[in-house]
Amino acid sequence: MPDPSAGLSAEDAKLVTLARATRARVGAAEGAAVRDLDGRTYAAATVDLPSLQVSAIQGCVVMAVASGARGLEACVLLGASTSLTEPDARALTDLAGPGVTVHFADGRGTAVGHVTT
């Protein structure tokens, strides 16, 4: 069976695994994972409560900021999306500035594209 994360670095493939596991654990629409400048990783899933809506990427950014991250190296968004929403792009650039690579993967973890903020 071919590797679904073929073409990604080992570090980015780890982000795919984290995002996939987080999404599956809670049955969310999307899962995401980010790696900060120190190599620490954070994973989150979409939160869709009546009183609170947070995207998977926003959840990762919240955890990274709360843990003292000063920037991000990479991000993976797993689900049906193949582009960043404006709020997600702003959250990433607010923390990390421009130049963060965001990989998109389908629900099985197969890489389907990427952009740079």
Side-chain angles (χ1 to χ4, degrees):
M1 181 170 167
D3 180 4
S5 58
L8 297 178
S9 70
E11 293 86 7
D12 291 344
K14 177 183 173 185
L15 294 179
V16 170
T17 300
L18 291 170
R20 186 174 182 202
T22 301
R23 177 179 179 250
R25 185 171 36 257
V26 297
E30 294 182 333
V34 298
R35 184 177 55 256
D36 72 13
L37 299 176
D38 295 324
R40 296 176 297 184
T41 56
Y42 310 90
T46 306
V47 175
D48 191 12
L49 300 172
S51 62
L52 178 66
Q53 294 80 42
V54 178
S55 75
I57 288 177
Q58 291 168 346
C60 288
V61 170
V62 166
M63 289 191 297
V65 169
S67 296
R70 295 178 317 269
L72 299 174
E73 291 181 349
C75 175
V76 165
L77 179 61
L78 191 134
S81 296
T82 57
S83 63
L84 280 176
T85 66
E86 186 62 31
D88 285 347
R90 282 195 316 262
L92 289 169
T93 55
D94 283 350
L95 174 57
V100 176
T101 299
V102 180
H103 298 282
F104 301 99
D106 64 18
R108 295 169 303 182
T110 303
V112 294
H114 69 275
V115 298
T116 303
T117 61

